[in-house]
């Protein structure tokens, strides 16, 4: 059975330990992932430190050209990597699944390579001229989750190296192998030491984020871990980009054509079987629209094939791991116990962490399935009578990643949008991220943004050069 390897200083390393990875759709073994020890973390950080000065000295154009070569490698290997993602993470090859994840990896590599971030004259008069330059921070620690393992790693890595930093990436212990393969391939066009990996659980993540040579932490994951990352960052005063969990509300405004939006609502909630940070996790609908929303979503859910994502006709895969599987089951059974209207759709295979697509009506704010991030294929649908109450409900939780308004008249929605407490408010779409558009959370969903020019600035520090004339 194959043992996958970390890349440190441009070379595949011999793992100190390894552990087996299983396909969540059928429990078959996929091979072994390496498990780094503390010495490997030190070696990976040292290699990133050694490579950083010369990487930063290269011209911006040189780095942009190399990043475009990375995009080319991702494109050339996307089918290989997509199959690995499907086997390891569970999302299907087809539809909005692993091929879609690979397309996103390519796009989110090409765009940072195409952007200009030039020095900016911030003040000038007869006596002085002040120019703000953007310089790299040094070594970036990137800590990734298991839901979109390659795409989120790319979001963290690419802007960082584009701006002259070097990186040590730790993928999630649940989904390391597709990421390790991607990094091995990318290293073909990067100078040794620019992009390194370590693997293991939170202890290795903690060792990495506490390392004295780390200058910036990019973290995507849960709120609980986010708080530990903040503590770790205090040691080096490292700036952090924190992309944490969400519990996004979508509000369907009265008068909306339900049939026309039903498919977008469905995928807004069930993308990657709901294992997406900015999925619709609470759907608020007006009393008068409730029956129609239930019926349209039920009809779509009933058509979806659930199963092993290697089958091209499957559009919904399993949950990625048993921890998440048990958590989602518990939230559904809590709703059942509380007398909610729980409707299940789809034939679920016997093996694997599969759950049916589940719509839950007759449910209110304050119940666990509404108030806790479910991160699975289940959607609570909550009725409202007054729009102002729906907005208050949407804002009533600590999470503030995304939110959406669905309306016949986009001008009405646009007027309400600033009242929603979320990093992004979408209108007639949900989760519609774009590599040019800054994305990040409000409130307990984190701070800092990724993507676009703002995302590039976030992996630099300002250096102002002030000249007396
Ligand atoms: P998690 O916090 O359990 O783990 C994320 C990563 O942190 C893993 O690599 C893990 O090994 C590492 N880690 C754990 N403890 C650590 C420590 N003390 N120090 C350093 N690293 C540590 O999260 P998860 O379960 O992998 O991901 C799911 C969560 O991520 C959900 O809440 C989801 O909403 C959120 N998420 C957010 C976004 C976003 O962009 N905002 C995107 C995807 C996922």
């Amino acid at each position: 059975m194959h043992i996958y390897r970390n890349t440190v200083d441009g070379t595949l390393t011999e793992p100190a330990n390894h552990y087996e990875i299983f396909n969540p759709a059928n429990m078959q073994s996929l091979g072994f992932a390496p498990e780094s020890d503390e010495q490997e973390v030190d070696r990976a950080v040292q290699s990133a430190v050694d490579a950083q000065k010369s990487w930063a000295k290269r011209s911006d154009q040189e780095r942009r050209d190399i990043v475009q070569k990375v995009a080319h490698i991702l494109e050339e290997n996307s089918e290989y990597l997509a199959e690995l993602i499907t086997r390891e993470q569970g999302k299907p090859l087809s539809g909005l699944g692993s091929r879609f994840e690979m397309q996103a990896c390519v796009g989110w590599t090409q765009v940072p390579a195409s952007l200009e971030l030039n020095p900016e004259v911030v003040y000038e008069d007869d006596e002085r001229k002040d120019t703000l330059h953007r310089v790299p921070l040094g070594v970036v620690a990137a800590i990734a989750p298991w839901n979109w393992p390659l795409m989120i790693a790319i979001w963290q890595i690419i802007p960082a190296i584009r701006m002259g930093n070097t990186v040590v990436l730790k993928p999630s212990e649940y989904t390391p192998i597709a990421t390790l393969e991607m990094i091995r391939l990318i290293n073909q066009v990067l100078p040794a030491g620019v992009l390194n990996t370590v693997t293991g659980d939170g202890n290795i993540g903690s060792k990495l984020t506490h390392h004295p040579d780390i200058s910036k932490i990019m973290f995507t994951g849960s709120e609980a871990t986010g708080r530990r990352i903040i503590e770790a960052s205090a040691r080096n005063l490292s700036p952090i980009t924190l992309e944490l969990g969400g519990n996004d509300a979508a509000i369907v405004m009265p008068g909306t054509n339900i049939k026309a939006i039903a498919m977008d609502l469905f995928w807004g909630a069930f993308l990657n079987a709901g294992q997406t940070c900015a999925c619709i996790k609470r759907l608020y609908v007006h009393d008068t629209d409730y029956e129609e929303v239930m019926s349209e979503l039920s009809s779509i859910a009933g058509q979806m094939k659930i199963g092993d994502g290697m089958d091209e006709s499957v559009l919904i895969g399993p949950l990625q791991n048993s921890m998440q599987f048990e958590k989602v089951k518990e939230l559904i059974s809590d709703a059942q116990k509380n007398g909610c209207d729980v409707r299940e759709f789809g034939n679920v295979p016997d093996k694997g962490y599969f759950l049916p697509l589940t719509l839950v009506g007759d449910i209110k704010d304050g119940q666990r399935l509404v108030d806790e991030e479910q991160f699975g294929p289940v959607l609570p649908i909550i009725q409202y009578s007054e729009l102002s109450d729906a907005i208050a409900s949407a804002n009533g939780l600590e999470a503030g990643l995304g939110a959406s308004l669905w309306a016949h008249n986009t001008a009405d929605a646009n007027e309400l949008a600033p009242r929603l407490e979320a990093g992004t408010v979408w209108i007639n779409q949900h989760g519609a991220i774009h590599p040019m558009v800054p994305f990040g959370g409000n409130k307990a969903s984190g701070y800092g943004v990724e993507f676009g020019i703002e995302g590039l600035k976030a992996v630099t520090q300002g250096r102002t050069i002030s000249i007396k004339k």
Side-chain angles (χ1 to χ4, degrees):
M1 196 54 88
H2 191 66
I3 303 179
Y4 293 86
R5 311 267 165 107
N6 277 302
T7 302
V8 174
D9 198 21
T11 312
L12 295 175
T13 64
E14 270 313 313
N17 293 303
H18 52 262
Y19 64 101
E20 203 160 7
I21 298 285
F22 296 94
N23 182 334
N26 55 27
M27 300 301 155
Q28 282 171 7
S29 176
L30 297 176
F32 292 87
E35 209 170 2
S36 302
D37 54 14
E38 296 201 350
Q39 290 71 32
E40 186 159 59
V41 176
D42 288 338
R43 282 199 301 277
V45 174
Q46 190 57 50
S47 138
V49 169
D50 294 344
Q52 200 268 327
K53 292 238 165 3
S54 60
W55 179 241
K57 264 195 204 131
R58 293 193 185 220
S59 74
D60 197 47
Q61 189 56 49
E62 238 182 306
R63 282 197 304 267
R64 290 170 65 175
D65 291 345
I66 292 177
V67 173
Q68 289 293 9
K69 285 187 191 157
V70 170
H72 186 65
I73 296 245
L74 292 171
E75 227 164 1
E76 274 187 328
N77 292 281
S78 49
E79 192 60 20
Y80 167 66
L81 292 171
E83 287 186 11
L84 264 184
I85 294 173
T86 294
R87 291 200 170 93
E88 183 183 40
Q89 200 281 327
K91 63 172 66 79
L93 275 176
S94 306
L96 299 171
S98 57
R99 290 192 185 116
F100 169 76
E101 180 164 357
M102 285 312 303
Q103 277 170 15
C105 288
V106 174
W108 260 272
T109 301
Q110 288 169 334
V111 168
S114 70
L115 292 173
E116 300 264 358
L117 185 52
N118 295 318
E120 186 189 345
V121 178
V122 288
Y123 185 73
E124 185 165 19
D125 63 17
D126 294 343
E127 285 155 23
R128 60 187 287 160
K129 182 176 178 184
D130 300 82
T131 308
L132 175 63
H133 295 250
R134 290 273 160 195
V135 301
L137 284 148
V139 177
V140 173
I143 310 272
W146 47 262
N147 56 342
W148 293 88
L150 277 65
M151 179 178 81
I152 291 175
I154 286 289
W155 293 354
Q156 299 175 331
I157 294 164
I158 296 297
I161 60 177
R162 153 77 173 84
M163 295 312 297
N165 304 283
T166 53
V167 175
V168 180
L169 165 71
K170 191 197 84 62
S172 166
E173 59 272 36
Y174 292 113
T175 52
I177 65 183
T179 311
L180 293 184
E181 281 299 271
M182 175 175 80
I183 302 303
R184 177 181 67 78
L185 291 161
I186 289 177
N187 259 279
Q188 293 169 9
V189 291
L190 289 174
V194 168
L195 179 53
N196 310 273
T197 56
V198 293
T199 39
D201 61 11
N203 292 321
I204 290 296
S206 177
K207 167 83 182 156
L208 175 61
T209 51
H210 281 89
H211 196 288
D213 289 327
I214 294 299
S215 307
K216 159 96 193 181
I217 306 170
M218 304 281 289
F219 173 73
T220 300
S222 63
E223 186 190 326
T225 310
R227 292 183 191 278
R228 287 189 203 110
I229 300 280
I230 295 170
E231 285 167 17
S233 72
R235 173 173 181 156
N236 301 343
L237 297 174
S238 317
I240 328 175
T241 301
L242 274 185
E243 299 281 6
L244 307 181
N247 198 342
D248 292 11
I251 301 173
V252 180
M253 292 169 67
T256 309
N257 180 343
I258 305 297
K259 234 184 188 24
I261 63 165
M263 190 59 89
D264 287 344
L265 278 183
F266 176 85
W267 283 116
F270 291 102
L271 176 70
N272 194 23
Q275 301 163 104
T276 300
C277 53
C279 258
I280 299 172
K281 290 170 183 154
R282 303 177 281 153
L283 177 59
Y284 291 89
V285 298
H286 192 260
D287 296 323
T288 53
D289 293 323
Y290 177 74
E291 287 306 331
E292 194 184 356
V293 169
M294 265 291 186
S295 130
E296 288 297 330
L297 289 180
S298 299
S299 135
I300 295 171
Q303 293 158 26
M304 295 290 158
K305 187 165 169 189
I306 301 172
D308 184 336
M310 293 305 285
D311 171 347
E312 298 273 351
S313 63
V314 162
L315 291 177
I316 301 284
L319 277 291
Q320 202 281 324
N321 55 66
S322 69
M323 175 270 294
Q324 195 60 30
F325 182 64
E326 295 303 330
K327 182 179 151 191
V328 179
K329 279 202 300 190
E330 190 186 312
L331 291 176
I332 296 172
S333 98
D334 183 75
Q336 254 151 355
K337 272 188 227 139
N338 283 297
C340 301
D341 174 14
V342 177
R343 306 186 191 183
E344 297 183 343
F345 303 87
N347 294 322
V348 169
D350 301 335
K351 266 192 182 168
Y353 300 128
F354 289 100
L355 285 175
L357 293 165
T358 307
L359 300 174
V360 180
D362 293 340
I363 189 163
K364 290 194 166 55
D365 290 357
Q367 291 191 237
R368 285 188 64 197
L369 182 60
V370 179
D371 287 9
E372 294 178 28
E373 183 190 30
Q374 70 272 43
F375 223 60
V378 47
L379 178 67
I381 301 168
I382 307 124
Q383 296 184 59
Y384 71 85
S385 310
E386 298 294 331
L387 206 42
S388 54
D389 292 338
I391 302 241
S393 290
N395 291 340
L397 300 179
E398 278 307 306
L401 187 59
S404 60
L405 290 164
W406 300 74
H408 172 67
N409 184 346
T410 50
D412 291 346
N414 203 23
E415 212 176 296
L416 279 186
R419 287 172 56 191
L420 284 168
E421 296 165 1
T424 305
V425 180
W426 288 285
I427 294 175
N428 289 342
Q429 54 185 358
H430 198 107
I433 52 171
H434 188 284
M436 286 295 287
V437 181
F439 174 68
N442 283 185
K443 305 200 297 188
S445 290
Y447 46 73
V449 291
E450 296 182 281
F451 314 162
I453 286 287
E454 294 305 316
L456 290 186
K457 287 182 184 167
V459 281
T460 63
Q461 51 195 330
R463 184 157 300 153
T464 302
I465 299 183
S466 189
I467 304 172
K468 182 173 181 181
K469 286 185 173 170

